[in-house]
Amino acid sequence: MGEMSGSGRNEGEGTVKRYWFVLVLFVGAVLAINYWCLPAHDELGYTFQGECTPIAGEAHHVQNLMDVVRIQIADYQHGPNGRVFLHGLVCLFSGWELYTLFDFINTGMWFLFVWLLLREGGVKVNSIRTYVIGTSVCFLFLWHVKVCCYNAAFAVNYLWSACITVGFVNLWRRCGGWWMVPVCFLYGWWMEVFSMPMIAALGCCALIGWVRTKRFPWTVARCLSMAAMILGGLG
């Protein structure tokens, strides 16, 4: 009986090690995809001091932090959207050619997104097996995880925004103090493609709660937080 127990324990430890090995391979693969992904779109454009990639003539490379600030001010004044924080990060990575640093950070963001998604989806990520299976499912079935997550132009816009959004859902559900007002403003300003649907979803939840309980569920602080989010999204 003791031998069988010891055999079962060894088999369990071997299975855990295999899952860790698979996860290490997964991390290596995602890092390799990041490394071999060529600069494109905003990542290429923000390497230079202009609103788009120069086609002809002299191109001035981004040299310092003030160049990044000037580019974002110009984009805010003349561009189609106000994503100054988001595009400022892209400009930092591409303008200063911090590609290797970005590759490592973005690989971490990829796996953080998986963990946040599983956690908010009600999955108890209490074992390496659960996390590896969840990672595989996310990779196979979430299209943006496969095509929008490996260069700075797409990753900061979509993967990082998705991480922030999932984290924000948890924050909104748990916290309702006045300090959420500036947080909501910054979230609304970060990426309107994510914040506007969030505003609509939270508004619908509030209306449903109002209809069901005959009482508006938001405090004054929460109402002001929503107003700040809308204001940020319109910025």
Side-chain angles (χ1 to χ4, degrees), residues 46 68-69 71-77 81-91 186 189-192 235:
Y46 282 129
V68 175
V69 173
I71 290 170
Q72 294 314 308
I73 290 173
D75 272 6
Y76 185 78
Q77 292 174 339
N81 54 60
R83 303 172 194 168
V84 292
F85 301 117
L86 187 154
H87 286 164
L89 280 174
V90 177
C91 195
L186 292 174
W189 199 356
W190 174 263
M191 173 61 151
E192 77 287 346

Side-chain angles (χ1 to χ4, degrees), residues 79-133:
N81 54 60
R83 303 172 194 168
V84 292
F85 301 117
L86 187 154
H87 286 164
L89 280 174
V90 177
C91 195
L92 280 173
F93 285 119
S94 59
W96 294 355
E97 298 183 356
L98 302 174
Y99 298 121
T100 303
L101 176 62
F102 169 79
D103 293 340
F104 279 96
I105 294 175
N106 196 54
T107 299
M109 292 295 284
W110 198 96
F111 288 95
L112 173 63
F113 173 70
V114 172
W115 182 79
L116 287 170
L117 198 63
L118 293 173
R119 186 173 180 273
E120 288 304 304
V123 178
K124 292 183 178 180
V125 191
N126 53 6
S127 69
I128 184 64
R129 175 177 176 272
T130 303
Y131 186 71
V132 169
I133 293 173

Side-chain angles (χ1 to χ4, degrees), residues 20-232:
W20 274 110
F21 179 70
V22 171
L23 181 60
V24 169
L25 289 179
F26 228 129
V27 171
V30 172
L31 180 61
I33 294 172
N34 274 278
Y35 179 77
W36 281 313
C37 192
L38 296 175
H41 303 286
D42 290 347
E43 185 177 6
L44 200 57
Y46 282 129
T47 305
F48 303 94
Q49 297 181 39
E51 293 182 25
C52 58
T53 306
I55 303 300
E58 186 178 359
H60 298 283
H61 201 283
V62 170
Q63 299 292 330
N64 52 53
L65 189 60
M66 286 309 300
D67 289 339
V68 175
V69 173
R70 280 193 291 269
I71 290 170
Q72 294 314 308
I73 290 173
D75 272 6
Y76 185 78
Q77 292 174 339
H78 307 294
N81 54 60
R83 303 172 194 168
V84 292
F85 301 117
L86 187 154
H87 286 164
L89 280 174
V90 177
C91 195
L92 280 173
F93 285 119
S94 59
W96 294 355
E97 298 183 356
L98 302 174
Y99 298 121
T100 303
L101 176 62
F102 169 79
D103 293 340
F104 279 96
I105 294 175
N106 196 54
T107 299
M109 292 295 284
W110 198 96
F111 288 95
L112 173 63
F113 173 70
V114 172
W115 182 79
L116 287 170
L117 198 63
L118 293 173
R119 186 173 180 273
E120 288 304 304
V123 178
K124 292 183 178 180
V125 191
N126 53 6
S127 69
I128 184 64
R129 175 177 176 272
T130 303
Y131 186 71
V132 169
I133 293 173
T135 300
S136 303
V137 170
C138 288
F139 186 83
L140 289 172
F141 292 101
L142 294 182
W143 67 270
H144 89 278
V145 168
K146 290 192 283 188
V147 301
C148 292
C149 295
Y150 303 112
N151 69 28
F154 288 128
V156 178
N157 273 276
Y158 298 104
L159 175 63
W160 294 26
S161 295
C163 283
I164 291 171
T165 296
V166 178
F168 179 81
V169 169
N170 183 274
L171 200 63
W172 179 272
R173 188 171 61 245
R174 295 173 182 271
C175 307
W178 291 97
W179 62 272
M180 280 290 289
V181 175
V183 170
C184 288
F185 177 77
L186 292 174
Y187 173 73
W189 199 356
W190 174 263
M191 173 61 151
E192 77 287 346
V193 173
F194 283 80
S195 63
M196 287 302 181
M198 177 67 72
I199 290 166
L202 293 176
C204 287
C205 288
L207 289 174
I208 292 171
W210 193 4
V211 170
R212 290 179 61 184
T213 64
K214 308 300 182 184
R215 187 174 146 206
F216 195 66
W218 288 355
T219 62
V220 175
R222 181 137 289 186
C223 290
L224 287 176
S225 297
M226 174 59 79
M229 200 189 315
I230 294 171
L231 186 63

